[in-house]
Amino acid sequence: MLVPAEGMLAVLHEDLERAAAYKKAARAAATHRAYTSDWTIYTDWCASRGLAPMPAHPEQIAAFVANQADAGFKPTTIERRTASWRLFR
């Protein structure tokens, strides 16, 4: 794991705040709400099985996808749910 040098985050604070604002503005508010909901669904699923959400192992992802498919969710919904993970890791 790469650890920032001491003091680096303080120097980059304003730039990092702007980067976070750009990231947030890149998606509609409804998309952010959906991603937040998707992440909660996934973490609840993990918790119910005693699993850590991250790192998500391939078998864990496959099991979650199968669970969502068995529950009747459309492939596009399942794809969005797994895509939301990159925002929360």
Side-chain angles (χ1 to χ4, degrees), residues 38-88:
D38 293 339
W39 178 249
T40 300
I41 290 165
Y42 171 66
T43 57
D44 288 350
W45 178 87
C46 288
S48 73
R49 287 154 178 80
L51 301 170
M54 290 293 174
H57 299 284
E59 294 85 0
Q60 183 172 329
I61 294 167
F64 176 75
V65 167
N67 171 271
Q68 296 297 284
D70 287 348
F73 291 101
K74 295 179 182 180
T76 54
T77 300
I78 298 168
E79 288 174 14
R80 189 198 65 223
R81 288 192 173 157
T82 57
S84 72
W85 299 345
R86 70 176 172 251
L87 299 177
F88 293 95

Side-chain angles (χ1 to χ4, degrees), residues 3-60:
V3 178
E6 188 175 331
M8 183 179 94
L9 294 180
V11 171
L12 299 177
H13 180 74
E14 288 181 25
D15 292 326
L16 292 172
E17 283 186 352
R18 283 195 303 279
Y22 288 134
K23 181 178 178 180
K24 185 175 182 179
R27 292 185 178 79
T31 302
H32 285 282
R33 286 190 300 274
Y35 279 176
T36 299
S37 173
D38 293 339
W39 178 249
T40 300
I41 290 165
Y42 171 66
T43 57
D44 288 350
W45 178 87
C46 288
S48 73
R49 287 154 178 80
L51 301 170
M54 290 293 174
H57 299 284
E59 294 85 0
Q60 183 172 329

